[in-house]
Amino acid sequence: MILIKKAQILQNWVKDQRNNSTKIGFVPTMGALHKGHISLIEASKKMNTYTVCSVFVNPTQFNDPTDFDKYPVTIENDIQLLEAAGCDILFLPSVNEMYPNGFSQNQKYNLGNIESILEGKFRAGHYQGVCMIVHRLLDIVQPDNLYLGQKDLQQCIVISKLIDTLGLNEKIKVTICPTLREIDGLAMSSRNMRLTKEERKLAPSIYAALLFIKNNMEEKQPPELKKISSKMLKDKGFKVDYLEIADFSNLSSINNWKESKKAVVLVAAYNNEIRLIDNLLLS
Ligand code: PAF
């Protein structure tokens, strides 16, 4: 694996590899890698000549400075995992390299309703920050295929919308890879590293609440199921930001199963200090 820290060097490398049949797969990450990330690398390796992974903890997408300060950084381990997975390029830029002109945003991304619901409602400005960094990364890497994890489903929709807005949807294909779970159902996430032993024991309750909805769809409609499963989480001590049943395509909330051909339940809840998100396809 080649480690590249400078945008210009990566751009030159991409240019040198390009010919008619070269395919470049790209996995953007914020590091603290786990098996979920590695499954994205594996998906990319199957379909592309080269796989590029970026590790960059992007300051502009953190609405809470404490969350940014405490975001886990495990770069030595990340390098080992990426080497073992056969990743070709690790792009590990500095903040200066990614934001040479500072953090002020000179382009506002028009994302529509998706940016102000669910995560967007609780994390003001988050998706503009995601778009700033992903736009910059796409400019540098110029991938043919982009791999994202379903755990951040709303982010997948936002990034697809960004690609559309930038007129790149003919050029870049987005692949959403399934969420990987621990044996007890907890969705793999870099933030899980910050859970204490006690919090880790409680954390699978989130998946249990989602499964409860999936298992009771035939008997009950969304509003009642949302109420019951939110209460399940609150009774365990979680602070629920949202637990919503929505249409998979645009994440708009549904009140009756008939309103959607493909529904999904999405949740964000605090386990003490740690905010966990998850989602589950229902149909
Ligand atoms: O999902 C993440 O890790 C980040 O939001 C991303 C897509 C790498 C942008 O910083």
Side-chain angles (χ1 to χ4, degrees), residues 31-221:
L33 302 183
H34 50 71
K35 284 186 194 148
H37 295 110
I38 298 307
S39 73
L40 305 183
I41 302 286
E42 285 164 356
S44 169
K45 278 186 65 72
K46 277 192 199 136
M47 302 303 292
N48 298 281
T49 330
Y50 298 107
T51 293
V52 178
C53 175
S54 62
V55 169
F56 179 69
V57 185
N58 172 35
T60 64
Q61 71 187 73
F62 286 83
N63 53 319
D64 172 2
T66 320
D67 190 26
F68 174 65
D69 291 342
K70 292 194 175 164
Y71 200 84
V73 176
T74 59
I75 193 62
E76 292 307 323
N77 192 50
D78 294 351
I79 290 173
Q80 275 181 22
L81 289 176
L82 290 171
E83 286 265 22
C87 181
D88 297 291
I89 300 285
L90 166 58
F91 182 45
L92 188 63
S94 65
V95 170
N96 247 347
E97 194 64 19
M98 296 313 280
Y99 292 101
N101 304 317
F103 296 143
S104 62
Q105 192 178 359
N106 44 22
Q107 176 173 4
K108 167 112 173 84
Y109 300 95
N110 184 5
L111 304 169
N113 193 36
I114 192 82
E115 107 168 285
S116 49
I117 58 172
L118 304 168
E119 283 301 284
K121 185 166 164 197
F122 288 89
R123 303 184 68 189
H126 169 62
Y127 287 124
Q128 288 294 322
V130 169
C131 286
M132 272 167 92
I133 196 64
V134 172
H135 186 181
R136 173 103 174 98
L137 285 165
L138 294 179
D139 269 351
I140 298 167
V141 181
Q142 309 257 326
D144 301 278
N145 291 299
L146 178 67
Y147 296 85
L148 301 168
Q150 192 203 312
K151 191 179 81 64
D152 295 295
L153 178 61
Q154 192 173 0
Q155 171 171 274
C156 297
I157 297 175
V158 163
I159 293 178
S160 300
K161 175 110 198 192
L162 169 75
I163 288 176
D164 207 25
T165 313
L166 297 173
L168 293 173
N169 46 3
E170 297 276 290
K171 210 190 154 296
I172 304 175
K173 181 174 172 277
V174 176
T175 299
I176 302 178
C177 299
T179 304
L180 257 59
R181 298 185 180 280
E182 304 291 352
I183 207 122
D184 55 11
L186 175 65
M188 290 188 187
S189 162
S190 305
R191 286 189 168 85
N192 294 350
M193 289 178 195
R194 293 185 53 212
L195 296 169
T196 63
K197 241 184 175 172
E198 284 311 300
E199 289 164 353
R200 175 62 189 82
K201 263 194 217 154
L202 268 185
S205 314
I206 294 190
Y207 183 56
L210 302 185
L211 268 186
F212 174 82
I213 292 183
K214 191 170 171 123
N215 293 337
N216 288 281
M217 286 174 69
E218 282 177 15
E219 290 80 43
K220 291 178 177 32
Q221 286 296 337

Side-chain angles (χ1 to χ4, degrees), residues 260-276:
S260 170
K261 283 206 181 87
K262 198 173 176 184
V264 60
V265 52
L266 306 102
V267 63
Y270 280 91
N271 188 347
N272 289 331
E273 298 260 288
I274 316 296
R275 189 172 182 277
L276 299 172

Side-chain angles (χ1 to χ4, degrees), residues 4-51:
I4 297 179
K5 293 189 172 183
K6 297 281 176 205
Q8 188 60 58
I9 293 181
L10 180 51
Q11 271 166 329
N12 292 344
W13 180 87
V14 170
K15 221 161 126 199
D16 288 349
Q17 312 314 315
R18 277 270 171 230
N19 62 44
N20 285 344
S21 60
T22 314
K23 290 266 177 255
I24 295 185
F26 178 42
V27 180
T29 80
M30 297 206 298
L33 302 183
H34 50 71
K35 284 186 194 148
H37 295 110
I38 298 307
S39 73
L40 305 183
I41 302 286
E42 285 164 356
S44 169
K45 278 186 65 72
K46 277 192 199 136
M47 302 303 292
N48 298 281
T49 330
Y50 298 107
T51 293

